[in-house]
Amino acid sequence: MAGQIKSILEQIILFKSLGDPMLQKMTKVKLLIKGIQVDDFNDDSPDDPAMIAKLCDIVDEFGLTSGYFEQFKQVEVNVDG
Amino acid sequence: MAEVENIKTAYSQSKSVFGAVQAIKSQLAGFQTHFLLVFASSSYEQTLLCQSLRSAFPNAQMMGCSTAGEVVSQHLLQGAVVVMAFNQQIIADIHLEVVEDLTDNRGLDVALKGFETHFGVDLNRIDHRAYAGLVLIDGMSKMEETFIERLGDKTNLVFIGGSAGDDLQFQTTHVYAQGKAYSHAAVLVVFKPRNGFDMLKTQSFFSSEKHLTPTKVDPATRTVLEFDSKPAAQAYAEALGVKIADLPSLFMRHPLGLMADGEPFVRSPQKLNGQALDFYCRIVEGVPLTILNPLDIVQDTQKALSLKLAEMGSVQGVIDFQCILRTLQLREEGKTESYVQLFENIPLVGFSTYGEAYLGHMNQTSTMFLFK
């Protein structure tokens, strides 16, 4: 499958910024400083499990709570065994 | 009728703590100091300085740090104490927290809880247009990236500031809070400027077309072992078209930029480490960096400042967190006077930092806080 990373990033930015355009821009910079180049990911980007796991860690670091993110954390747990 | 001053600066170059504090107290006589921001040379006995300032201004919130040089209206100094005093007409509300041990993550959590209790609002939901934060952090800790990143994780408030210095001794730096001096610590304030504010980040570089991608790094030591799978020094020298031995003389003129929407977050090389390169800032593996070319600091800062001042209309005071590497370059080029003249008629305070803070930790930058 493809495109999940882009979707997760969109949700992280939305939840972290609460829809505020200035905070959206700042959140993208915060992600870049963590090594995530948001604009590098599109609908065709492969669903790299390592990157999805990294994004799940960032979700936790940002303290974001949403059912949307839980599905990916569940996958992460299953992958880890 | 004369306009009322809500922000005042004062300074002293007295070698003694007593003399310096008396001079500053005298210059601020009659002013109702609500918040006192202090930047001082590491040549002063730090604990005594903080205690003396506390005694002189017992009712003020006090925050500050040791420096690698001080900035105050019309002066770029060394071996001095500079302060900016704010009254309640400019700062409606303020709260200060100290994180006494940078290695303990719980310290920041407790500090942030302290802000939330004081202001009665979740820091992720606080109005970032009405409130802002200042952060001063131990400049020898190598903890700035982690700390400032966590600060950004936990809050949507923007913190601006810098890393404390020690007059280029690179031994021990201090941050000050409420009459005490701390090492391996950070001090934070969150405040609500009554008339509004803005921030400026300016670095006086432009992007080249050359890029280097770190492919092997040691984040803990801020070392890049490889760029583009080649020894870091070799790849950097090839990109600049010079010999490896010539690199150190070019570090200040051609640092690297982590590019965000075309704007660099500067990462400055510190020294050759065999075939590797040590930086003044942690480098993240896999994210391309752009080689930067220099602009004239005075001209470029004037341009950035003029635009910001035009946007804001009027400014009552500026805090300038300026990288020591910029200060050294200004001194070398004999442009220190021209630099401080850029802030003519605006109360100015600041210091030469061991790193600047704005969303992350960076080098060779001025981060400024402007009070409307």
Side-chain angles (χ1 to χ4, degrees), chain A residues 33-46:
Chain A
I33 288 169
K34 290 175 182 291
I36 309 289
Q37 299 177 89
V38 173
D39 295 337
D40 278 3
F41 297 95
N42 57 38
D43 293 334
D44 299 322
S45 301

Side-chain angles (χ1 to χ4, degrees), chain B residues 8-65:
Chain B
K8 278 194 83 166
T9 59
Y11 74 99
S12 172
Q13 291 176 288
S14 169
K15 296 259 183 271
S16 83
V17 167
F18 179 79
V21 172
Q22 285 306 307
I24 285 166
K25 191 176 175 185
S26 156
Q27 289 167 55
L28 295 178
F31 187 77
Q32 298 297 311
T33 303
H34 180 49
F35 174 44
L36 189 72
L37 191 56
V38 181
F39 302 123
S41 165
S42 59
S43 61
Y44 293 98
E45 208 289 289
Q46 302 286 291
T47 299
L48 182 63
L49 176 68
C50 289
Q51 288 170 345
S52 304
L53 282 165
R54 186 65 169 169
S55 299
F57 300 93
N59 300 318
Q61 302 278 333
M62 190 192 109
M63 174 197 206
C65 69

Side-chain angles (χ1 to χ4, degrees), chain B residues 97-101 104-115 146-152 154 159 186 188:
Chain B
E97 291 281 344
V98 185
V99 177
E100 293 191 29
D101 178 3
D104 183 355
N105 284 343
R106 289 169 302 180
L108 179 59
D109 295 338
V110 171
L112 295 178
K113 187 58 74 183
F115 288 122
T146 306
F147 186 83
I148 293 162
E149 204 174 298
R150 285 197 73 235
L151 200 49
K154 305 273 178 197
F159 283 83
L188 307 159

Side-chain angles (χ1 to χ4, degrees), chain B residues 341-371:
Chain B
Q341 287 298 324
L342 299 178
F343 302 87
E344 198 179 6
N345 302 323
I346 304 172
L348 168 71
V349 79
F351 73 101
S352 297
T353 67
Y354 284 176
E356 301 73 62
Y358 174 75
L359 301 180
H361 173 65
M362 68 204 84
N363 315 126
Q364 280 183 270
T365 299
S366 262
T367 53
M368 299 183 204
F369 192 94
L370 301 94
F371 290 88

Side-chain angles (χ1 to χ4, degrees), chain B residues 50-319:
Chain B
C50 289
Q51 288 170 345
S52 304
L53 282 165
R54 186 65 169 169
S55 299
F57 300 93
N59 300 318
Q61 302 278 333
M62 190 192 109
M63 174 197 206
C65 69
S66 59
T67 72
E70 304 77 40
V71 186
V72 71
S73 302
Q74 305 300 307
H75 302 285
L76 225 154
L77 304 169
Q78 286 174 278
V81 185
V82 302
V83 306
M84 183 170 264
F86 304 82
N87 68 16
Q88 283 187 301
Q89 298 310 308
I90 193 87
I91 293 183
D93 198 0
I94 184 168
H95 186 71
L96 181 149
E97 291 281 344
V98 185
V99 177
E100 293 191 29
D101 178 3
L102 289 172
T103 59
D104 183 355
N105 284 343
R106 289 169 302 180
L108 179 59
D109 295 338
V110 171
L112 295 178
K113 187 58 74 183
F115 288 122
E116 292 185 341
T117 302
H118 177 86
F119 292 105
V121 59
D122 180 337
L123 286 187
N124 263 317
R125 295 184 177 273
I126 196 166
D127 181 356
H128 64 90
R129 288 177 182 80
Y131 294 84
L134 298 179
V135 54
L136 299 173
I137 183 167
D138 186 318
M140 292 304 296
S141 64
K142 289 192 177 173
M143 289 292 294
E144 292 104 314
E145 295 90 339
T146 306
F147 186 83
I148 293 162
E149 204 174 298
R150 285 197 73 235
L151 200 49
D153 290 347
K154 305 273 178 197
T155 167
N156 274 335
L157 203 60
V158 182
F159 283 83
I160 196 167
S163 306
D166 67 348
D167 297 295
L168 298 175
Q169 298 300 304
F170 300 112
Q171 298 292 325
T172 308
T173 70
H174 291 87
V175 295
Y176 315 148
Q178 318 290 45
K180 286 187 180 174
Y182 301 85
S183 263
H184 312 292
V187 56
L188 307 159
V189 298
V190 172
F191 53 37
K192 185 180 187 184
R194 207 177 283 276
N195 307 307
F197 65 89
D198 208 340
M199 299 181 193
L200 176 63
K201 166 182 162 298
T202 186
Q203 52 276 312
S204 308
F205 289 103
F206 68 98
S207 305
S208 74
E209 299 298 316
K210 296 171 184 168
H211 310 283
L212 292 168
T213 301
T215 44
K216 195 172 181 186
V217 304
D218 180 354
T221 57
R222 296 173 171 165
T223 302
V224 178
L225 300 161
E226 291 180 3
F227 283 120
D228 301 316
S229 302
K230 291 180 186 172
Q234 181 193 333
Y236 192 31
E238 283 176 9
L240 289 176
V242 300
K243 294 176 186 166
I244 290 176
D246 295 332
L247 279 177
S249 64
L250 295 169
F251 284 159
M252 268 172 70
R253 291 178 58 78
H254 297 286
L256 302 179
L258 177 67
M259 305 304 293
D261 279 340
E263 193 184 339
F265 283 69
V266 182
R267 277 77 179 100
S268 302
Q270 181 187 18
K271 63 179 194 301
L272 289 170
N273 179 358
Q275 287 291 300
L277 284 170
D278 290 345
F279 281 74
Y280 285 113
C281 184
R282 188 177 67 201
I283 305 292
V284 179
E285 203 168 284
V287 182
L289 300 170
T290 299
I291 293 182
L292 302 175
N293 291 326
L295 292 165
D296 181 274
I297 291 178
V298 173
Q299 283 179 15
D300 187 61
T301 306
Q302 179 178 34
K303 195 173 151 190
L305 193 59
S306 299
L307 282 171
K308 188 57 75 180
L309 294 177
E311 265 177 45
M312 293 181 70
S314 65
V315 169
Q316 295 197 57
V318 175
I319 309 168

